[in-house]
Amino acid sequence: MQYNHLSSSTIFAGQELSLTSPQSVNKQSSAYTVKSGDSLSLIAKKYHTTTAELKSANHLASDLIFVGQVLEIPNKTVDQAPDTMASSREYTVKSGDSLSVIAKVYRTTVEDIKTVNHLTSDLIKVGQVLKIPNASSSGHQPITSQTPKSYTVKSGDSLSVIAKIYGLTVTQLKAYNQLSGDTIYVGQVLKLTSDGPSVSEPKAPKAASSFNADALITEAKKYIGVPYVWGGSTPSGFDCSGFLNYVYTKLGISVPRTVAAFWAAGTSVSIPQKGDIVYFNTTGGPSHAGIYIGGNQFIHAGTSTGVTISDMNNSYWKPRYLGAKSVR
């Protein structure tokens, strides 16, 4: 425990342990085999290095990696194993929670929460007790004291996430910022107190003057097979809203970053047309979305499949379908 800086006897499968004193080990490189869902940025974070150093050590010209590829991890001492998750605390899932929300609140990652709780999917249920990895003695509690007066929205944020982090309610956030809906945008400044800086209602996303659904679908299909990466918004890895944002932006259409923001900003349609966005309830409310391509099929970034085409009538997606919206 001393050699590995462990505060308890908890260890997990795949964890690397030093069998010698840290003072007796020199820096060396080690190998890592790429797994489904990995990206250079995730691996770099896990091993306390950088994407640039990983690319340099492995003579990579781009960020693209593939499952089964063996990467050299630079400048890693034996005692510097990936985060041990040795200290953890428990959290009881509440209505409206998702793994991404909980991870953001407690400053950890979805993958770490899934690993320490032996979860094979992102599905959680109200009342479920989760272990929160990498929790310090302070417990990484949501920020409730010395709350700043404003917050600048970042990629992957939503009102519910921001509210949880700062110990507020979504209703309070909307009241402070005079918001009529749940739509927020990257770069938007939100008031966190009643006397915070003045902000204005965000403008709805603007579509390109000429919308070409076939061109949109052709662009989307270019990325079939790209792995799912939580928070990913590039061809090296996408989450579902990151994929939508990337593809629509490539066609010159300005859209939000999160599924909730897409849902709030779009115009409801009773029957989806090519290029519309179809929404599904996987963890509570609109939590997954894809681009409708016709024939009851949609293209999306699935957590277990990466970018793929699915049938809306299959046994998983049909009961979870919420509706369709247009951003034309």
Side-chain angles (χ1 to χ4, degrees), residues 6-7 24 33 50 73 85 112 143 208 267 280 287:
L6 301 179
S7 58
S24 66
T33 302
T50 67
I73 307 299
M85 305 181 200
D112 282 352
I143 303 168
T267 302
F280 302 87
S287 49

Side-chain angles (χ1 to χ4, degrees), residues 119-137:
L119 302 179
T120 57
S121 75
D122 290 351
L123 297 178
I124 54 177
K125 59 184 179 180
V126 174
Q128 182 176 352
V129 178
L130 297 175
K131 291 181 180 178
I132 307 299
N134 302 325
S136 67
S137 58

